[in-house]
Amino acid sequence: MRNKGLIIALTLVVTALCAYFLFFTYVSRGVQQKAVAYATRNGKVDEGQRQHYLDSVWRAPVYGPFTYREVRQSELGLGLDLKGGMHVTLEVSPVEIVRAMSGNSKDAAFNKALENAQTAQKATPTTPFTTLFAQAYQQTSNGQPLARIFANTTNKSRNITINSSNEKVLAAIDKEVEEAIDRSFNILRTRVDKFGVNQPTIQRVKGTGRLQIELPGVDNPDRVRKLLQGQAKLEFWEVWNQNEIGPYLVALDKQLQAKSTVAKTAPVATLNMADTTAAAAKGDTTSLAAQLAKKAKLGKGAADSSATANQGGMLAKLFTMPGRLGVNLRDTARMNTILRSPEAKATLPPTLALLWNLKPTTIDKQEYLELIPVRKTRDGVAPMSGEVVSDARADIGQNGQPEVLMSMSPAGSRKWAKMTAANIGKQVAMVLDDYVVSAPVVQSEITGGGTSITGSFQIEDTQDLANQLKAGKLPAPTRIVEEAVVGPSLGREAINQGLYSSLAGVVIIMLFMAFYYGRAGIVADIALLFNIFLILGVLAQFGTALTLPGIAGLILVMGTSVDANVLIFERVREELDHGLGLSDAINKGYSRAFSAIFDSNVTTMLIAVILGFFGTGPVQSFAITLGIGVLTSFLSAVYVSRLIIEWMVKGNENHPMTFSTSISRNLFKNLNFDIVGKRKIAYTFSSVFIIIGFVLMYIQGGPNLGVDFKGGRAYVVDFNKAMVASDVADKIRPSFQDAGLEVKQFGSPDRLRITTGYLAEDESATADAKVAAALNQGLQQYSADAPQIKSTSKVGATIADDIKRTSVLSLGLTLLGIFIYVLFRFDKWQYSMAAVVALFHDALLVIAAFPIARLFGANYEMDQIFVAAVLTVIGFSMNDTVVIYDRIREYLRENPKLTFAQVVNPALNSTFSRTMITFTTVFLVVLVMYIFGGETLRSFSFAMIIGVIFGTYSSLFIATPIILDTYGKKEERERLAAGEDVSGLPGDAPKLSTTTV
């Protein structure tokens, strides 16, 4: 073996690094076990005590000089599906960025273009928003230049003038949008890092305005949503006096009553303006609320008065908060409707904005939300904004209540002193994202910039608020377009499922290799264990969390990694049969197998790279594990196993090293199947199977797409007894207004997965709450069965379209990449074409198998994991095909007088043993995954089972026969025309030269 010293040194370095990082994982697990022991009382773990222990050692040394924080950063982490937590995909809205660059233009054509662009992007999500906006503006403005809107003082630094071309303006907008996304990324990363969870991750999704965030272990999803979507737009406003706004509210109430009178054509009570104005003049909030709630007087006629004595105005009925201008929490939607009404816009001055307090107040067991009358400026720009904040931190005030202590820049301190001096005895509102967090009465001028923000805060609220203020204001609003919340109990189940399936897969492979190859098989088992060690160590080195799809990738790597040893050992056996000595046979076997191993690994790595680049979430995790596994498998199977075997037989030609057992020694010997002679039967079978599958799919209403591909929301719900999925679906369907609904068992009879398309197009937090409320309403019918929501997931319609597009693109790029690589390695386009046709055939067979399985009651979804399975099947099938191609090329080189048609069957027969052994190991592994891997991987493992079967079949009966029908027949005709003897038919077995020198 060449460069043996370098390989040994590399192996030792990689081994040491993996051991180093995995040791930190061991130390971290030990600390966590101590935390559990500390928090366990009477067999129950107090989560608060457990977290308190971990917090206490967070910066304390736990192993030598290493603190627990440093240990956690170096350990092999667990993903959300194994630990529980939250995955979020955020989209940064470019609309506000464009609007800000326009100087908040009121131009009708500009605002109409923004609306049209937003609508157009729903239909074409892949087109950049700025491009759609520019197109829409050309239509709404009758071809006016963009500079007419964007040549303003805001963009002076960007060198946009009234004469700038549309291209220059659009380039400036694109640059600002891109920079805003980068700023949002940095701000959110700061917020996430300070959130207090271990090993959070945040990354940009390439080519989009999206950010992916994972927070393992979080147990408060609402808090996360507020933290991530809160823009942190802090503003300081003056507040109207009550005596100033009283007349406006009375006038608005009269307008609303007049409208109601017209609508009902019946007398309605009115407020006594004199009484209300008089009370308002006193400047007392209580008096204002009381007067608005007074019974109205109609004037003349006691009968009329008594008839309506118990009636009040619309605002009077809503302003029910004792002592303040506020409404009951259940009435906030009605109040918002009033504030947005034409009457409110016509009656209330443009400088008056009634903003909600951030937190409700509980009075006499009723929750109320207060309205604060903020005095807006004509241009809508606050006297002070969050840019003046230089620092913020959570603290406990003198009264024992949580507060946020805020420091300001020198310029901000001067503005704040001036503002507070002008409002002594009055309120000043601190407004965060259009909600009032605090509206204190200024007692005196505040100098120095040090300010306390108080309110109805919990400790977590002040921590998050300080975090947001310190990280800065997001340059644009964000919205959650994809979300997954996994409960910790599901995580524990997933760990067990992954552990059992992994261990079972390892045991099966090791037993099979030892059973089939004897001592050499034991060496392969050692290399396999070393390979698993390397994969886990590399994952830890790069800070990549291990997920359930990652475990699937690990199991698959275990199955395919032995393929290299199978190739090598089969070659060694051939050389031993040709009479070579043990050492020479080993050297020759490793050398001659190298080409096929290298080609098969390159094609698998190509798939891993494409999945890693275009995939998201679980698919990306699978791809990372698969890619690492390809590299480590190559090292362990090709080099480490050789080092061990050469060390064992060194200087001893009579060493009892065996590459077979008594059972396998003569297995697959002297085969002479006419495989290509059955190709037409195979063509017919495949065509019929695919047609039946797609016809059934059409009859069933299309493919059974998962939430990933169609958008919507899914919930995993546990009950205390077995449930009938169809019955539950029928009972809860009315709660979702008869929108698309699917309910099915998820792993066990007492667990259901409920998927709905209700409000799928609406990605807002309000829609999330409505769907969750609908689910809870439907589940109330099963209150006796104790339903518990264990996990939730959401995929917006826009991101679902993107996932579909990238899935198709991934498949196309994979086939194109394989076509180019095979062409490069085997010189003839017919090889590439046959490989791609066979691989596309495999993908179609897997897809067709799903509706056929559905016909027999096995209802599996097609989602991102399914796409990963299809591409993995393509990789597996390509491995087989490349090995056969490699043997055909070898036979043609060593027997130049023979034609392709003459060597094709011998090549297929000579590689048949390797094909069947690899099929057996991988099939057993995916079968174990199907049985023990859990419901999350059921679709993946089913697709893999079908794919492994048909991938092996296509390598034998589709790929190589297609070359015979395209290139082989042509070659035979050309040789006949040249007068050569080509009497060997595909079914014959001509004598081949198999030189060993």
Side-chain angles (χ1 to χ4, degrees), residues 763-785:
E763 298 165 356
S764 67
T766 303
D768 294 341
K770 284 184 179 178
V771 178
L775 175 64
N776 287 321
Q777 180 184 347
L779 292 177
Q780 283 180 358
Q781 304 170 71
Y782 295 96
S783 57
D785 302 316

Side-chain angles (χ1 to χ4, degrees), residues 91 110 143 158 173 184 196 203 217 295 473 477 703 744 778 825 836 839 887 955:
E91 189 169 69
F110 167 78
R158 300 182 179 94
I173 296 174
S184 298
Q203 60 183 344
K295 303 296 185 290
K473 183 186 78 171
K744 65 178 184 180
R825 290 290 290 168
V836 168
L839 297 178
R887 187 59 64 94
S955 299

Side-chain angles (χ1 to χ4, degrees), residues 510-525 569 656-662 664:
M510 292 179 67
L511 289 175
F512 179 85
M513 292 298 289
F515 170 82
Y516 197 89
Y517 289 110
R519 285 184 170 87
I522 295 174
V523 173
D525 292 342
F569 295 165
M657 170 62 68
T658 57
F659 290 87
S660 61
T661 61
S662 57
S664 63

Side-chain angles (χ1 to χ4, degrees), residues 225-254:
R225 295 184 190 106
K226 291 175 183 177
L227 177 75
L228 298 180
Q229 291 185 287
Q231 196 177 351
K233 182 180 68 174
L234 180 66
E235 297 173 323
F236 299 84
W237 295 97
E238 296 180 350
V239 177
W240 286 72
N241 290 328
Q242 299 298 331
N243 62 339
E244 295 175 311
I245 67 168
Y248 295 115
L249 293 177
V250 173
L252 173 59
D253 197 69
K254 291 183 66 176

Side-chain angles (χ1 to χ4, degrees), residues 713-715 717 719 723-744 752-756 758 770-783 785 787 789:
R713 295 166 178 84
Y715 306 86
V717 183
F719 297 83
M723 306 297 291
V724 179
S726 57
D727 292 347
V728 174
D730 291 339
K731 287 191 176 183
I732 69 174
R733 183 170 281 109
S735 300
F736 295 104
Q737 300 182 12
D738 295 324
L741 180 69
E742 182 181 63
V743 181
K744 65 178 184 180
L752 300 179
R753 187 169 191 259
I754 301 172
T755 306
T756 177
Y758 178 49
K770 284 184 179 178
V771 178
L775 175 64
N776 287 321
Q777 180 184 347
L779 292 177
Q780 283 180 358
Q781 304 170 71
Y782 295 96
S783 57
D785 302 316
I789 298 175

Side-chain angles (χ1 to χ4, degrees), residues 431-494:
V431 180
L432 183 71
D433 293 338
D434 294 328
Y435 284 90
V436 178
V437 295
S438 182
V441 175
V442 179
Q443 303 297 333
S444 61
E445 177 184 355
I446 301 175
T447 58
T451 305
S452 169
I453 302 178
T454 58
S456 302
F457 293 140
Q458 301 295 325
I459 293 177
E460 284 185 349
D461 297 329
T462 57
Q463 291 171 342
D464 291 345
L465 178 56
N467 182 359
Q468 289 175 310
L469 294 177
K470 193 172 182 179
K473 183 186 78 171
L474 287 174
T478 60
R479 62 192 179 104
I480 295 176
V481 294
E482 184 185 24
E483 174 185 302
V485 180
V486 180
S489 61
L490 281 185
R492 285 190 292 272
E493 288 183 27

Side-chain angles (χ1 to χ4, degrees), residues 99 136 184 199 240 283 386 434 573 919:
R99 195 186 301 278
S184 298
Q199 293 183 312
W240 286 72
D434 294 328
R573 290 171 62 176
F919 161 77

Side-chain angles (χ1 to χ4, degrees), residues 69 79 156 197 214 304 407 429 438 578 631 640 659 849 852 952:
R69 178 184 182 184
K156 186 175 291 185
V197 299
E214 287 195 353
D304 290 340
S407 301
S438 182
H578 292 155
L631 298 175
V640 173
F659 290 87
I852 293 175
T952 304

